[in-house]
Amino acid sequence: MEMLKGFLFSWIIGFYLVTIAVAREDQSGFISIDCGISAGSNYTDIITGLSYTSDVGYVSGGVNKSISPIYQTNALERQFLTLTSFPIGTKNCYTLTPAQGKFGKYLIRASFLYGDYDGNGKLPVFDLHIGENYWDTVTISNASIPIRKDIIHTPSNDSIAVCLVKTDTTSTPFISALELRPLNVTTYRTVLNTSSLELYARLNLGSLTNQSYRYSDDAYDRIWMPFQWDNKAIINTTQEVRENSYRVPSVVMSTAVTPDPLIATGDSVSFAWIAENMTDKYYMYLHFAEVLELQVAQIREFNIYVNGNLFYGPVSPIYLSTTTIYTVSPGIGTGRYDVVINKTATSTLPPLLNALEIYREV
C-alpha cells in the first residue's frame, strides 16, 4: 500500500519543473499578484503565459523586498524573486474582488520563498487566514525552498480577505505571490457550501515526463505533481482525453497506473494517508479514464473501498473520457485512511487510476 506521507513534501519542492505550455487558455477572472514588484508594474510570465501585476491596491502597508542574490537562480520562477513583508501590525490582509463575487467558487494560492530577504537568517513562522477563519500555518524550514498553499473557497461576500497573521514577535510575515482562479461552481462541493477545502495532495499518476503541469494545460491553473508509484505499471495513450466538469487536463489523464503483471502484488491499486487530527474531514477526488482500446472480450471494472467499506462501484472507465468519483459526505474520527481499488469478479483487467486529489475541510 502506497502511503501519501511524501506528497506534501513533493508539493513543497517540486516547482522548478513546470512544463512550458503552447496553447493559451482564457485568463478571464484570473487575479495574479507578484508581491514586492514596484507599483504599477506588470508582466507576462514567459513560462506559463500568465499576466502578473503588483500588489499595490490589494493591501495596505507592507515593504517591498528582494531575496538574497545567493538564492536567485535561473531555475527559480520569477514570482519568487521579490516579496512583500509586514513588520508592522499583527494582521495584514489582501482584498481580492473577483468578478463573480459571492456567486463564484475560487482556487486561491498563496506562495512563499524566504530567500533570506532580510539578512537575518531566521526562518519565519506565521499564520494564514481566509477572512476571519484560520487557513494554515506557514512554516519556513528552508530559505531556498518555495512553499505554496492552495485552498478552494466559496465566499459569503463579494470580496475575499487573505490575511497574514503574526504569531511570534520574532517572525515577520511575508508573501511572494497571491493568485485567484474561478472554478466551476458545481465542482468541489462540501456538505456545507460555506466550507473551504485546503489542498492535501494533487497527483498526476503514471507521468512519463516527471514534470509538473499547470496553466495553460490546466484551465483552472491547478498544479499537478508527478508521482512515481512503486510496483505499478504505466499505461498511456497519445490521443486526447475528453474533460468533464472538473477539467483535468488531457496531459494528466492520458497516463494511468495499474498493477504490474510482472510483480505478484495482487489485482488492486491502493494508497493511504494519516489524518493530521482525528476531527479532520477529508474530501477525495479520483479521476479515471480508460487509455487502452479494449478488445471485445476485455472488461475493466472495479470497486473502490475506504477503510474496508464500499465507497463506490462498480466503475467501468470510459475510453478516452474522464470520470470523477468524489466524496459527498466525509467521515470523521479516523486517524488513517486506506483506499483500495479492487477489480470485480467479472473484470478481466486490473483497475487503473489516472489522477487524484485530496482536500481537508477548513
Side-chain angles (χ1 to χ4, degrees):
M1 179 166 297
E2 199 74 22
M3 288 295 297
L4 303 197
K5 61 184 179 181
F7 290 1
L8 290 181
F9 183 67
S10 297
W11 182 238
I12 293 173
I13 68 172
F15 292 101
Y16 297 108
L17 295 174
V18 180
T19 186
I20 298 176
V22 177
R24 296 298 177 202
E25 288 276 0
D26 181 16
Q27 294 182 44
S28 176
F30 282 24
I31 299 174
S32 303
I33 303 170
D34 186 344
C35 306
I37 62 175
S38 58
S41 297
N42 59 79
Y43 65 89
T44 298
D45 188 279
I46 61 172
I47 302 296
T48 63
L50 290 166
S51 300
Y52 287 88
T53 187
S54 76
D55 60 5
V56 173
Y58 291 99
V59 66
S60 298
V63 182
N64 290 358
K65 295 287 186 177
S66 297
I67 64 171
S68 170
I70 66 172
Y71 296 105
Q72 297 180 17
T73 67
N74 291 333
L76 190 63
E77 294 166 63
R78 183 170 176 177
Q79 296 78 51
F80 291 115
L81 295 175
T82 60
L83 57 91
T84 300
S85 70
F86 297 93
I88 306 299
T90 301
K91 186 176 184 179
N92 290 272
C93 300
Y94 283 77
T95 301
L96 307 179
T97 309
Q100 295 175 329
K102 63 183 178 182
F103 300 106
K105 178 175 291 186
Y106 309 98
L107 168 67
I108 299 170
R109 178 180 300 125
S111 302
F112 311 87
L113 176 65
Y114 171 54
D116 197 24
Y117 73 88
D118 52 7
N120 292 334
K122 179 176 172 54
L123 303 176
V125 178
F126 52 91
D127 282 351
L128 190 60
H129 287 197
I130 187 152
E132 296 300 320
N133 299 322
Y134 171 81
W135 172 354
D136 204 354
T137 296
V138 179
T139 302
I140 306 299
S141 57
N142 188 308
S144 65
I145 296 179
I147 293 176
R148 282 183 165 110
K149 302 287 187 181
D150 277 23
I151 196 167
I152 293 174
H153 181 65
T154 303
S156 57
N157 301 305
D158 288 332
S159 62
I160 302 168
V162 176
C163 304
L164 307 169
V165 181
K166 184 181 293 186
T167 57
D168 183 340
T169 56
T170 63
S171 281
T172 298
F174 74 92
I175 186 168
S176 303
L178 184 60
E179 298 162 305
L180 177 146
R181 313 295 186 233
L183 300 172
N184 184 327
V185 294
T186 66
T187 60
Y188 299 109
R189 291 186 174 184
T190 59
V191 174
L192 298 174
N193 208 34
T194 55
S195 300
S196 299
L197 295 175
E198 178 190 16
L199 180 67
Y200 181 86
R202 184 187 297 120
L203 300 174
N204 173 16
L205 304 175
S207 171
L208 299 175
T209 64
N210 203 35
Q211 290 183 312
S212 303
Y213 291 99
R214 60 177 299 181
Y215 184 88
S216 64
D217 290 288
D218 190 306
Y220 297 143
D221 194 26
R222 292 160 297 189
I223 300 176
W224 295 90
M225 301 301 298
F227 185 74
Q228 303 305 320
W229 208 314
D230 293 337
N231 301 325
K232 293 291 181 287
I234 296 174
I235 54 177
N236 70 290
T237 180
T238 57
Q239 299 187 62
E240 191 79 8
V241 178
R242 292 185 295 276
E243 297 178 343
N244 60 9
S245 59
Y246 284 87
R247 301 200 67 182
V248 181
S250 178
V251 69
V252 172
M253 295 303 299
S254 64
T255 62
V257 292
T258 189
D260 191 335
L262 301 179
I263 301 175
T265 56
D267 289 324
S268 66
V269 173
S270 59
F271 59 91
W273 75 91
I274 305 296
E276 295 180 16
N277 297 289
M278 294 286 286
T279 56
D280 285 346
K281 297 179 180 179
Y282 289 91
Y283 287 76
M284 178 175 64
Y285 299 82
L286 304 178
H287 306 288
F288 303 97
E290 180 59 70
V291 295
L292 303 180
E293 190 168 6
L294 304 187
Q295 303 302 311
V296 174
Q298 291 181 309
I299 299 171
R300 195 188 306 275
E301 184 181 76
F302 46 83
N303 292 314
I304 306 166
Y305 297 86
V306 177
N307 292 344
N309 299 311
L310 181 65
F311 177 74
Y312 195 90
V315 179
S316 294
I318 302 169
Y319 181 53
L320 301 181
S321 184
T322 301
T323 297
T324 299
I325 307 299
Y326 55 89
T327 303
V328 175
S329 180
I332 59 173
T334 301
R336 174 184 167 115
Y337 291 83
D338 290 286
V339 180
V340 179
I341 307 174
N342 282 334
K343 63 179 286 190
T344 65
T346 58
S347 182
T348 64
L349 295 172
L352 57 71
L353 179 58
N354 306 66
L356 69 84
E357 299 175 87
I358 300 170
Y359 295 86
R360 183 177 65 88
E361 184 178 288
V362 296

